[in-house]
Amino acid sequence: MHLELLELQRRIQGRVPVPTLDLSAETIARHQAEGRPLLPFDAIPLELSDLRLMVRQTADVLKRFGALDDFDYQRVQAIGRDMKLLALVGEWYRSTAERSTVAPAALGHVVPPESPRIQDAMAEVLGLAMRPFLSRCAEVLQQRPDLALWTHPHCALCGGAPDFAVITPSAERHLICGRCALRWKFEPLTCPFCANSDRTRITSFAARLGDADYRVYACDVCHRFLKAFDARRSARPVMPVVDSVATLPLDAAAMQRGYTS
Ligand SMILES: [Zn+2]
Ligand SMILES: [Zn+2]
């Protein structure tokens, strides 16, 4: 199912035009200071017919694999045809992108990501359907050296929470956004969900699955965990979707120890 979704996203992403974004050093520095994500909804290069296609086909794939029940499937198909789709997607996007702002006085302190207002199956479908458009924007920001200025636990581009990470060959930990797949450097032993930086209260364990090394970081304050691909001894780069699925046994192990994703 994940491979089919990935294929669908790749096909659409190839058609998304390169966005024109203001990513000057000054803009990035200002947004870093405010903790404010860089991409406003209006700047996303959204083609409505492609978005409709993504919504409907994503729902088809999820339904075929039993990940969407009939009721939700009908709801998603209806919204895929509805004129309100753009408004709904805008609300979904903004609920996360515009909620995190750090007051200047609180600089150095991190704000935990909040959950979006549109919950459930609809949010999942919208998130998957928006991925090609958001990832296209992330590709542009990823090239900018000033991205290294970003120190927050939420995504510099879209404000999304990290849902995977990678340990680079130089032993840095880079978080990977669950919405747009942007990667950014973050303290290796600080919890991105509650800002706990007491290393004695971070439980970390390594695991080898197949031909890849992974690490789980679990927080003993908020009890959430984050998985990471360890690229230090790997012949291939991280593949977030593939690695998330390959590491499902680690979710089970972490949950057995009382942590949640
Ligand atoms: Zn993002
Ligand atoms: Zn935590």
Side-chain angles (χ1 to χ4, degrees):
M1 177 178 86
H2 292 89
L3 291 178
E4 277 197 34
L5 290 172
L6 201 58
E7 182 51 39
L8 181 60
Q9 286 162 11
R10 277 193 187 138
R11 215 165 51 231
I12 298 291
Q13 193 170 331
R15 303 214 292 253
V16 178
V18 177
T20 44
L21 305 172
D22 172 12
L23 298 175
S24 65
E26 298 74 35
T27 302
I28 293 179
R30 191 175 70 248
H31 281 256
Q32 153 62 22
E34 296 169 353
R36 195 153 49 88
L38 284 150
L39 182 68
F41 181 68
D42 297 340
I44 303 171
L46 266 183
E47 165 61 58
L48 189 56
S49 58
D50 278 345
L51 177 62
R52 289 189 195 286
L53 190 70
M54 269 308 289
V55 168
R56 288 198 306 264
Q57 296 199 350
T58 298
D60 286 342
V61 173
L62 293 178
K63 177 152 189 289
R64 192 143 36 81
F65 286 90
L68 199 63
D69 64 28
D70 267 338
F71 176 76
D72 284 329
Y73 178 76
Q74 297 303 341
R75 229 161 41 102
V76 171
Q77 287 294 335
I79 205 73
R81 290 187 296 265
D82 197 295
M83 293 314 290
K84 289 190 302 245
L85 175 61
L86 214 51
L88 188 70
V89 166
E91 191 191 333
W92 169 84
Y93 181 76
R94 291 190 181 102
S95 66
T96 298
E98 293 171 10
R99 52 89 182 109
S100 42
T101 307
V102 185
L107 271 187
H109 181 77
V110 285
V111 179
E114 285 168 17
S115 47
R117 282 193 298 264
I118 303 171
Q119 288 288 357
D120 71 22
M122 184 65 82
E124 191 192 349
V125 173
L126 294 183
L128 290 166
M130 281 295 282
R131 239 183 130 90
F133 307 99
L134 293 178
S135 296
R136 192 65 157 169
C137 300
E139 286 172 358
V140 177
L141 177 56
Q142 196 75 65
Q143 315 293 328
R144 306 299 305 232
D146 293 306
L147 176 60
L149 295 174
W150 190 260
T151 58
H152 301 282
H154 55 271
C155 174
L157 183 77
C158 78
D163 74 348
F164 209 77
V166 56
I167 303 165
T168 68
S170 51
E172 294 175 354
R173 183 175 66 163
H174 290 209
L175 305 182
I176 303 175
C177 177
R179 302 213 297 179
C180 73
L182 184 80
R183 299 172 201 174
W184 71 100
K185 186 181 163 186
F186 192 70
E187 289 292 323
L189 289 172
T190 295
C191 171
F193 304 113
C194 77
N196 163 38
S197 60
D198 177 354
R199 322 189 146 204
T200 65
R201 305 195 73 192
I202 298 284
T203 300
S204 167
F205 58 94
R208 188 170 181 82
L209 295 171
D211 62 347
D213 291 314
Y214 299 96
R215 182 163 283 279
V216 174
Y217 299 91
C219 175
D220 294 312
V221 175
C222 71
H223 303 287
R224 291 190 63 182
F225 70 91
L226 186 69
K227 299 181 290 185
F229 174 78
D230 191 339
R232 285 175 291 187
R233 284 182 298 152
S234 181
R236 65 156 173 95
V238 62
M239 297 186 284
V241 174
V242 175
D243 285 313
S244 289
V245 176
T247 50
L248 286 177
L250 299 182
D251 292 64
M255 284 185 230
Q256 231 163 30
R257 299 181 191 200
Y259 303 109
T260 56
S261 61

